[in-house]
Amino acid sequence: MKKKVMALLLVAAMTLAACGGKAEEPASTDGDNATTEAPAEAEAEGGSEEAAPAGEAKDNADITIGFSSKDNSDTFVAAIANAAQARADELGVKLLMYDAGGDVNKQISDVETMIAQKVDAVIVIPQSVEGSAPVVGMCNDAGIPIIVDNGDIADTNFTAFVGCTDQESGEILGQWFIDNVPEGSKVCIIEGPMGQSGQVGRMAGFEAVGMLDHFEVLSTQTANWKRDEAMTLAEDWITTYGDELAAIICENDDMGLGALSACKGQNRTDIIVGGVDGLDDAVAAVKAGEYGISVLQDSKGQGTVGVDVALQIIKGEEYEKDTRIPFRAITADNVDAYLEGGVDAISQ
Protein backbone atom coordinates (compact mmCIF):
# COMPACT_ATOMS: atom_id res chain seq x y z
CA MET A 1 0.00 0.00 0.00
CA LYS A 2 2.81 2.39 0.89
CA LYS A 3 4.48 1.67 -2.46
CA LYS A 4 1.24 2.48 -4.34
CA VAL A 5 0.82 5.81 -2.50
CA MET A 6 4.43 6.75 -3.19
CA ALA A 7 3.96 5.96 -6.87
CA LEU A 8 0.88 8.19 -7.09
CA LEU A 9 2.69 11.04 -5.33
CA LEU A 10 5.63 10.72 -7.74
CA VAL A 11 3.33 10.91 -10.78
CA ALA A 12 1.60 14.00 -9.34
CA ALA A 13 4.93 15.70 -8.69
CA MET A 14 6.10 15.02 -12.24
CA THR A 15 2.87 16.40 -13.67
CA LEU A 16 3.17 19.65 -11.67
CA ALA A 17 6.80 20.03 -12.73
CA ALA A 18 5.84 19.62 -16.36
CA CYS A 19 3.12 22.30 -16.09
CA GLY A 20 5.40 24.75 -14.29
CA GLY A 21 8.13 24.36 -16.93
CA LYS A 22 5.93 25.02 -19.95
CA ALA A 23 7.70 27.20 -22.56
CA GLU A 24 6.21 30.65 -23.29
CA GLU A 25 4.67 31.30 -26.68
CA PRO A 26 7.16 32.93 -29.11
CA ALA A 27 6.71 36.66 -29.77
CA SER A 28 4.68 37.52 -32.85
CA THR A 29 6.67 38.55 -35.91
CA ASP A 30 3.77 39.92 -37.93
CA GLY A 31 3.57 43.60 -38.86
CA ASP A 32 3.26 46.22 -36.09
CA ASN A 33 2.94 43.56 -33.38
CA ALA A 34 6.44 42.25 -34.01
CA THR A 35 8.87 42.48 -31.11
CA THR A 36 12.60 42.61 -31.70
CA GLU A 37 15.71 42.82 -29.59
CA ALA A 38 19.01 44.47 -30.33
CA PRO A 39 21.55 41.87 -31.50
CA ALA A 40 23.97 40.86 -28.76
CA GLU A 41 26.92 41.37 -31.11
CA ALA A 42 26.00 45.06 -31.59
CA GLU A 43 26.59 45.76 -27.92
CA ALA A 44 29.74 43.68 -27.85
CA GLU A 45 31.18 45.60 -30.78
CA GLY A 46 30.20 48.98 -29.39
CA GLY A 47 27.42 49.54 -31.93
CA SER A 48 24.75 52.19 -31.38
CA GLU A 49 21.72 50.06 -32.16
CA GLU A 50 19.31 49.91 -29.23
CA ALA A 51 16.09 48.11 -28.41
CA ALA A 52 13.34 50.26 -26.95
CA PRO A 53 11.48 48.94 -23.89
CA ALA A 54 8.53 46.81 -24.92
CA GLY A 55 5.21 48.55 -24.46
CA GLU A 56 1.63 48.36 -25.60
CA ALA A 57 1.53 48.55 -29.39
CA LYS A 58 -0.03 51.76 -30.73
CA ASP A 59 -1.43 52.66 -34.09
CA ASN A 60 0.22 55.68 -35.71
CA ALA A 61 -3.01 57.66 -35.44
CA ASP A 62 -2.89 57.29 -31.65
CA ILE A 63 0.70 58.56 -31.33
CA THR A 64 1.59 62.15 -30.41
CA ILE A 65 5.15 63.49 -30.63
CA GLY A 66 6.16 66.85 -29.19
CA PHE A 67 8.69 68.87 -31.21
CA SER A 68 10.60 71.75 -29.61
CA SER A 69 12.37 73.90 -32.19
CA LYS A 70 14.92 76.40 -30.98
CA ASP A 71 14.03 79.20 -33.44
CA ASN A 72 12.01 78.81 -36.62
CA SER A 73 12.97 82.29 -37.78
CA ASP A 74 16.30 80.62 -38.66
CA THR A 75 15.84 79.37 -42.22
CA PHE A 76 17.75 76.16 -41.67
CA VAL A 77 16.06 75.31 -38.37
CA ALA A 78 12.68 75.92 -39.98
CA ALA A 79 13.65 73.48 -42.75
CA ILE A 80 14.29 70.76 -40.14
CA ALA A 81 10.94 71.47 -38.47
CA ASN A 82 9.12 71.44 -41.80
CA ALA A 83 10.72 68.12 -42.75
CA ALA A 84 9.67 66.63 -39.41
CA GLN A 85 6.10 67.85 -39.91
CA ALA A 86 6.00 66.43 -43.43
CA ARG A 87 7.23 63.04 -42.20
CA ALA A 88 4.71 62.98 -39.36
CA ASP A 89 1.91 63.81 -41.81
CA GLU A 90 3.11 61.06 -44.14
CA LEU A 91 3.08 58.50 -41.32
CA GLY A 92 -0.23 59.67 -39.85
CA VAL A 93 1.38 60.71 -36.56
CA LYS A 94 0.34 63.83 -34.64
CA LEU A 95 3.20 66.31 -34.19
CA LEU A 96 2.85 69.15 -31.67
CA MET A 97 5.21 71.88 -32.88
CA TYR A 98 6.60 74.45 -30.43
CA ASP A 99 8.95 77.29 -31.37
CA ALA A 100 11.17 78.66 -28.59
CA GLY A 101 12.00 81.72 -30.67
CA GLY A 102 15.60 81.70 -29.47
CA ASP A 103 14.59 81.78 -25.78
CA VAL A 104 15.99 78.90 -23.72
CA ASN A 105 13.53 79.53 -20.89
CA LYS A 106 10.62 79.25 -23.32
CA GLN A 107 12.06 76.00 -24.64
CA ILE A 108 12.11 74.54 -21.13
CA SER A 109 8.55 75.76 -20.56
CA ASP A 110 7.44 74.27 -23.88
CA VAL A 111 8.83 70.87 -22.91
CA GLU A 112 7.05 71.11 -19.55
CA THR A 113 3.82 71.68 -21.49
CA MET A 114 4.46 68.63 -23.68
CA ILE A 115 5.08 66.49 -20.62
CA ALA A 116 1.81 67.71 -19.10
CA GLN A 117 0.08 66.76 -22.36
CA LYS A 118 1.54 63.25 -21.96
CA VAL A 119 3.10 63.07 -25.41
CA ASP A 120 4.60 59.73 -26.41
CA ALA A 121 8.03 61.21 -27.20
CA VAL A 122 9.79 64.58 -27.39
CA ILE A 123 12.12 65.77 -30.14
CA VAL A 124 14.16 68.85 -29.26
CA ILE A 125 16.52 71.08 -31.24
CA PRO A 126 18.47 72.61 -28.33
CA GLN A 127 18.60 76.38 -28.08
CA SER A 128 21.72 76.12 -25.91
CA VAL A 129 24.17 73.33 -25.14
CA GLU A 130 24.11 74.09 -21.41
CA GLY A 131 20.90 76.08 -21.02
CA SER A 132 18.63 73.50 -22.68
CA ALA A 133 20.13 70.58 -20.77
CA PRO A 134 17.36 70.41 -18.10
CA VAL A 135 14.82 69.18 -20.68
CA VAL A 136 16.60 65.82 -20.79
CA GLY A 137 16.17 65.16 -17.07
CA MET A 138 12.60 66.42 -17.19
CA CYS A 139 11.66 63.90 -19.88
CA ASN A 140 13.54 61.08 -18.16
CA ASP A 141 11.75 61.79 -14.89
CA ALA A 142 8.41 61.68 -16.72
CA GLY A 143 9.31 58.42 -18.47
CA ILE A 144 9.05 60.05 -21.91
CA PRO A 145 11.69 59.25 -24.57
CA ILE A 146 13.64 62.32 -25.71
CA ILE A 147 15.37 62.58 -29.07
CA VAL A 148 17.91 65.38 -29.46
CA ASP A 149 17.97 66.68 -33.03
CA ASN A 150 20.54 68.74 -34.94
CA GLY A 151 22.77 70.07 -32.14
CA ASP A 152 24.54 68.86 -29.02
CA ILE A 153 23.26 69.19 -25.47
CA ALA A 154 25.21 68.99 -22.20
CA ASP A 155 23.09 66.26 -20.60
CA THR A 156 23.82 63.18 -22.71
CA ASN A 157 21.30 60.93 -20.96
CA PHE A 158 18.86 61.37 -23.85
CA THR A 159 17.20 58.41 -25.54
CA ALA A 160 18.67 59.07 -29.00
CA PHE A 161 20.50 61.68 -31.07
CA VAL A 162 19.89 62.56 -34.72
CA GLY A 163 21.99 65.25 -36.32
CA CYS A 164 25.51 66.22 -37.14
CA THR A 165 28.90 66.89 -35.62
CA ASP A 166 29.19 70.67 -35.68
CA GLN A 167 32.98 70.66 -35.40
CA GLU A 168 33.11 68.81 -38.72
CA SER A 169 31.46 71.74 -40.51
CA GLY A 170 33.91 74.18 -38.92
CA GLU A 171 36.82 72.05 -40.07
CA ILE A 172 35.50 71.87 -43.66
CA LEU A 173 34.79 75.60 -43.80
CA GLY A 174 38.06 76.58 -42.13
CA GLN A 175 40.16 74.32 -44.35
CA TRP A 176 38.55 75.72 -47.50
CA PHE A 177 39.46 79.27 -46.47
CA ILE A 178 43.01 78.16 -45.64
CA ASP A 179 43.29 76.61 -49.10
CA ASN A 180 41.76 79.55 -50.98
CA VAL A 181 42.81 82.72 -49.13
CA PRO A 182 46.51 83.65 -48.75
CA GLU A 183 48.13 83.04 -45.38
CA GLY A 184 48.27 86.15 -43.20
CA SER A 185 45.21 87.72 -44.84
CA LYS A 186 43.00 89.87 -42.64
CA VAL A 187 39.60 88.32 -42.02
CA CYS A 188 36.50 88.70 -39.87
CA ILE A 189 34.35 85.92 -38.41
CA ILE A 190 30.59 86.05 -37.86
CA GLU A 191 29.41 83.59 -35.21
CA GLY A 192 26.05 82.18 -34.19
CA PRO A 193 24.49 82.77 -30.75
CA MET A 194 27.14 82.21 -28.13
CA GLY A 195 26.85 78.84 -26.40
CA GLN A 196 24.77 77.15 -29.08
CA SER A 197 26.06 73.87 -30.47
CA GLY A 198 26.73 75.30 -33.94
CA GLN A 199 28.70 78.24 -32.58
CA VAL A 200 30.74 76.14 -30.14
CA GLY A 201 31.42 73.31 -32.59
CA ARG A 202 32.27 75.43 -35.62
CA MET A 203 34.69 77.59 -33.70
CA ALA A 204 36.28 74.39 -32.39
CA GLY A 205 36.58 73.25 -36.01
CA PHE A 206 38.30 76.50 -37.00
CA GLU A 207 40.78 75.95 -34.18
CA ALA A 208 41.31 72.29 -35.04
CA VAL A 209 42.49 73.01 -38.59
CA GLY A 210 44.60 76.01 -37.55
CA MET A 211 42.52 78.64 -39.32
CA LEU A 212 42.77 81.17 -36.51
CA ASP A 213 46.56 81.03 -36.69
CA HIS A 214 46.62 81.04 -40.51
CA PHE A 215 44.92 84.44 -40.75
CA GLU A 216 45.00 87.75 -38.91
CA VAL A 217 41.53 87.86 -37.38
CA LEU A 218 40.42 91.50 -37.16
CA SER A 219 37.11 90.89 -35.41
CA THR A 220 34.87 88.04 -34.25
CA GLN A 221 31.25 88.87 -33.40
CA THR A 222 27.88 87.18 -33.29
CA ALA A 223 24.95 87.96 -35.59
CA ASN A 224 22.71 85.34 -33.93
CA TRP A 225 22.21 83.37 -37.17
CA LYS A 226 20.35 86.43 -38.58
CA ARG A 227 20.85 87.72 -42.13
CA ASP A 228 20.01 91.34 -41.34
CA GLU A 229 22.29 91.47 -38.28
CA ALA A 230 25.16 90.02 -40.32
CA MET A 231 24.59 92.55 -43.09
CA THR A 232 24.85 95.45 -40.63
CA LEU A 233 27.94 93.95 -39.03
CA ALA A 234 29.65 93.41 -42.38
CA GLU A 235 28.86 96.96 -43.50
CA ASP A 236 30.57 98.29 -40.39
CA TRP A 237 33.62 96.10 -40.96
CA ILE A 238 33.95 97.16 -44.60
CA THR A 239 33.86 100.80 -43.52
CA THR A 240 36.28 100.25 -40.62
CA TYR A 241 38.87 98.02 -42.29
CA GLY A 242 38.57 99.11 -45.91
CA ASP A 243 40.78 97.37 -48.45
CA GLU A 244 42.54 95.35 -45.74
CA LEU A 245 39.52 93.06 -45.31
CA ALA A 246 40.02 89.94 -47.46
CA ALA A 247 37.32 87.54 -46.24
CA ILE A 248 34.28 87.19 -43.99
CA ILE A 249 33.87 83.69 -42.58
CA CYS A 250 30.34 82.93 -41.40
CA GLU A 251 29.07 80.09 -39.24
CA ASN A 252 25.85 79.80 -41.24
CA ASP A 253 24.54 80.74 -44.67
CA ASP A 254 21.88 83.20 -43.51
CA MET A 255 24.64 85.31 -41.99
CA GLY A 256 26.87 84.64 -44.99
CA LEU A 257 24.21 85.92 -47.37
CA GLY A 258 23.80 89.03 -45.21
CA ALA A 259 27.55 89.63 -45.40
CA LEU A 260 27.47 89.03 -49.16
CA SER A 261 24.73 91.65 -49.55
CA ALA A 262 26.87 94.15 -47.64
CA CYS A 263 29.86 93.43 -49.87
CA LYS A 264 27.83 93.78 -53.06
CA GLY A 265 26.23 96.99 -51.76
CA GLN A 266 29.65 98.55 -51.35
CA ASN A 267 31.12 97.07 -54.55
CA ARG A 268 33.52 94.83 -52.62
CA THR A 269 33.39 91.78 -54.84
CA ASP A 270 36.98 91.05 -53.80
CA ILE A 271 35.93 89.98 -50.29
CA ILE A 272 35.50 86.20 -50.09
CA VAL A 273 32.45 85.01 -48.14
CA GLY A 274 31.33 81.51 -47.18
CA GLY A 275 29.15 79.71 -44.64
CA VAL A 276 27.33 76.57 -43.53
CA ASP A 277 23.93 74.99 -44.26
CA GLY A 278 23.54 74.59 -48.03
CA LEU A 279 20.63 77.03 -48.29
CA ASP A 280 19.23 77.35 -51.80
CA ASP A 281 20.21 81.04 -52.02
CA ALA A 282 23.73 80.24 -50.90
CA VAL A 283 24.09 77.43 -53.46
CA ALA A 284 22.83 79.79 -56.17
CA ALA A 285 25.44 82.34 -55.08
CA VAL A 286 28.16 79.66 -55.30
CA LYS A 287 26.95 78.86 -58.83
CA ALA A 288 27.09 82.57 -59.72
CA GLY A 289 30.67 82.83 -58.44
CA GLU A 290 29.70 85.27 -55.65
CA TYR A 291 29.99 82.95 -52.65
CA GLY A 292 33.03 80.81 -52.01
CA ILE A 293 31.58 77.81 -50.19
CA SER A 294 28.40 76.54 -48.58
CA VAL A 295 28.90 73.55 -46.30
CA LEU A 296 25.76 71.46 -46.82
CA GLN A 297 23.87 70.30 -43.75
CA ASP A 298 21.00 67.93 -44.51
CA SER A 299 17.94 69.56 -42.92
CA LYS A 300 15.48 67.14 -44.50
CA GLY A 301 17.43 64.14 -43.27
CA GLN A 302 17.61 65.45 -39.71
CA GLY A 303 13.90 66.24 -39.51
CA THR A 304 12.73 63.05 -41.19
CA VAL A 305 15.01 60.66 -39.31
CA GLY A 306 14.18 62.35 -36.00
CA VAL A 307 10.51 61.42 -36.41
CA ASP A 308 11.38 57.92 -37.64
CA VAL A 309 13.55 57.23 -34.59
CA ALA A 310 10.91 58.61 -32.21
CA LEU A 311 8.32 56.30 -33.75
CA GLN A 312 10.62 53.27 -33.49
CA ILE A 313 11.21 53.97 -29.80
CA ILE A 314 7.50 54.45 -29.08
CA LYS A 315 6.70 51.14 -30.76
CA GLY A 316 9.44 49.24 -28.97
CA GLU A 317 11.39 48.58 -32.16
CA GLU A 318 15.14 48.64 -32.72
CA TYR A 319 16.54 52.14 -33.26
CA GLU A 320 19.87 53.87 -33.70
CA LYS A 321 21.07 55.51 -30.51
CA ASP A 322 23.30 57.96 -32.40
CA THR A 323 22.71 58.97 -36.04
CA ARG A 324 25.25 61.37 -37.52
CA ILE A 325 24.49 62.90 -40.92
CA PRO A 326 27.71 64.15 -42.58
CA PHE A 327 28.38 67.63 -43.93
CA ARG A 328 29.36 68.16 -47.59
CA ALA A 329 31.23 71.09 -49.13
CA ILE A 330 29.51 72.79 -52.09
CA THR A 331 31.99 74.85 -54.09
CA ALA A 332 32.55 75.95 -57.68
CA ASP A 333 34.08 72.52 -58.30
CA ASN A 334 30.93 70.50 -57.60
CA VAL A 335 27.97 72.88 -57.52
CA ASP A 336 26.75 71.75 -60.94
CA ALA A 337 26.83 68.11 -59.86
CA TYR A 338 24.89 69.00 -56.71
CA LEU A 339 22.25 70.95 -58.61
CA GLU A 340 21.80 68.07 -61.03
CA GLY A 341 21.99 65.09 -58.68
CA GLY A 342 21.55 66.35 -55.11
CA VAL A 343 23.61 65.32 -52.10
CA ASP A 344 24.29 61.83 -53.46
CA ALA A 345 26.17 63.40 -56.37
CA ILE A 346 28.72 65.02 -54.06
CA SER A 347 28.95 62.33 -51.40
CA GLN A 348 32.51 61.41 -50.56
Side-chain angles (χ1 to χ4, degrees), residues 272-308:
I272 300 173
V273 182
V276 177
D277 282 342
L279 297 186
D280 289 345
D281 289 350
V283 174
V286 171
K287 170 70 174 172
E290 299 173 338
Y291 199 68
I293 178 174
S294 178
V295 182
L296 176 67
Q297 185 176 190
D298 187 357
S299 58
K300 182 178 180 181
Q302 292 183 41
T304 298
V305 176
V307 172
D308 287 345

Side-chain angles (χ1 to χ4, degrees), residues 33 36 45 62 70 83 129 141 143 157 214 229 242 265 272 290 298 325:
N33 294 323
T36 57
E45 294 172 3
D62 298 324
K70 65 182 179 182
V129 174
D141 290 344
N157 293 312
H214 186 81
E229 291 186 29
I272 300 173
E290 299 173 338
D298 187 357
I325 300 172

Side-chain angles (χ1 to χ4, degrees), residues 228-308:
D228 56 347
E229 291 186 29
M231 182 174 176
T232 299
L233 191 55
E235 287 171 343
D236 289 344
W237 284 339
I238 292 168
T239 300
T240 301
Y241 300 119
D243 293 341
E244 292 185 330
L245 184 58
I248 302 177
I249 303 161
C250 306
E251 290 183 347
N252 84 339
D253 279 338
D254 257 334
M255 298 188 301
L257 291 166
L260 180 62
S261 293
C263 293
K264 292 168 72 174
Q266 298 194 37
N267 296 315
R268 289 297 306 275
T269 57
D270 59 306
I271 296 175
I272 300 173
V273 182
V276 177
D277 282 342
L279 297 186
D280 289 345
D281 289 350
V283 174
V286 171
K287 170 70 174 172
E290 299 173 338
Y291 199 68
I293 178 174
S294 178
V295 182
L296 176 67
Q297 185 176 190
D298 187 357
S299 58
K300 182 178 180 181
Q302 292 183 41
T304 298
V305 176
V307 172
D308 287 345

Side-chain angles (χ1 to χ4, degrees), residues 71-82:
D71 189 354
N72 283 346
S73 69
D74 181 324
T75 305
F76 181 79
V77 173
I80 298 175
N82 290 339

Side-chain angles (χ1 to χ4, degrees), residues 111 114-115 121-122 134-147 159:
V111 173
M114 295 178 208
I115 291 171
V122 169
V135 302
V136 176
M138 289 159 50
C139 287
N140 287 338
D141 290 344
I144 296 174
I146 178 168
I147 297 88
T159 314

Side-chain angles (χ1 to χ4, degrees), residues 104-237:
V104 69
N105 292 319
K106 185 177 186 304
Q107 182 162 67
I108 292 171
S109 176
D110 288 344
V111 173
E112 288 176 338
T113 299
M114 295 178 208
I115 291 171
Q117 291 173 314
K118 298 182 178 179
V119 297
D120 295 293
V122 169
I123 300 172
V124 60
I125 301 177
Q127 163 61 22
S128 167
V129 174
E130 296 288 343
S132 297
V135 302
V136 176
M138 289 159 50
C139 287
N140 287 338
D141 290 344
I144 296 174
I146 178 168
I147 297 88
V148 176
D149 206 318
N150 176 246
D152 293 326
I153 198 165
D155 187 342
T156 59
N157 293 312
F158 43 73
T159 314
F161 177 89
V162 176
C164 52
T165 303
D166 285 305
Q167 181 170 329
E168 178 189 10
S169 63
E171 292 174 358
I172 293 171
L173 185 63
Q175 189 60 54
W176 185 88
F177 274 93
I178 289 172
D179 294 341
N180 289 275
V181 179
E183 184 174 2
S185 294
K186 297 179 180 181
V187 306
C188 289
I189 301 171
I190 304 183
E191 295 197 82
M194 306 308 290
Q196 276 197 8
S197 177
Q199 178 270 323
V200 173
R202 287 165 200 170
M203 182 56 72
F206 296 159
E207 293 172 349
V209 297
M211 189 194 81
L212 303 181
D213 295 327
H214 186 81
F215 298 122
E216 181 180 343
V217 181
L218 299 173
S219 181
T220 300
Q221 294 188 45
T222 181
N224 299 301
W225 303 136
K226 307 294 186 183
R227 192 175 302 199
D228 56 347
E229 291 186 29
M231 182 174 176
T232 299
L233 191 55
E235 287 171 343
D236 289 344
W237 284 339

